[in-house]
Amino acid sequence: LFGLMTIGSPEHSEMEPNPDFLLLNELKVYIDGILGTNLELSMGMSDDFENAIKLGSTNVRVGSLIFGGRIYNAKV
């Protein structure tokens, strides 16, 4: 086990602190205590990465911030 990952729910993305990120951080602390590890946390995306970093995220996903939003083809 290398780390834990979450994608926070959209309705929590504006909340500070984000309850999804708080819960994952608590789970990390718990598992680290049992296993003697220092797991990484992957949480936060382009819209909420700053909040995720404040809560201990070591990996964020910011592709949309760098490359722009995806363009989805209309289904025919």
Side-chain angles (χ1 to χ4, degrees):
L1 186 60
F2 188 74
L4 304 172
M5 176 183 169
T6 189
I7 297 174
S9 63
E11 50 275 348
H12 292 161
S13 65
E14 298 296 321
M15 298 176 76
E16 198 167 324
N18 183 314
D20 301 320
F21 299 162
L22 282 173
L23 181 60
L24 192 67
N25 194 11
E26 290 172 10
L27 184 59
K28 175 211 180 308
V29 170
Y30 176 76
I31 293 171
D32 283 346
I34 291 173
L35 299 179
T37 56
N38 185 20
L39 297 175
E40 292 200 15
L41 285 178
S42 178
M43 53 189 191
M45 297 176 73
S46 293
D47 293 333
D48 57 7
F49 73 93
E50 291 169 326
N51 189 2
I53 291 170
K54 288 178 188 175
L55 293 174
S57 184
T58 53
N59 297 284
V60 294
R61 296 167 304 283
V62 293
S64 296
L65 193 62
I66 297 169
F67 301 109
R70 291 184 182 182
I71 299 172
Y72 295 95
N73 293 331
K75 293 184 180 182
V76 180

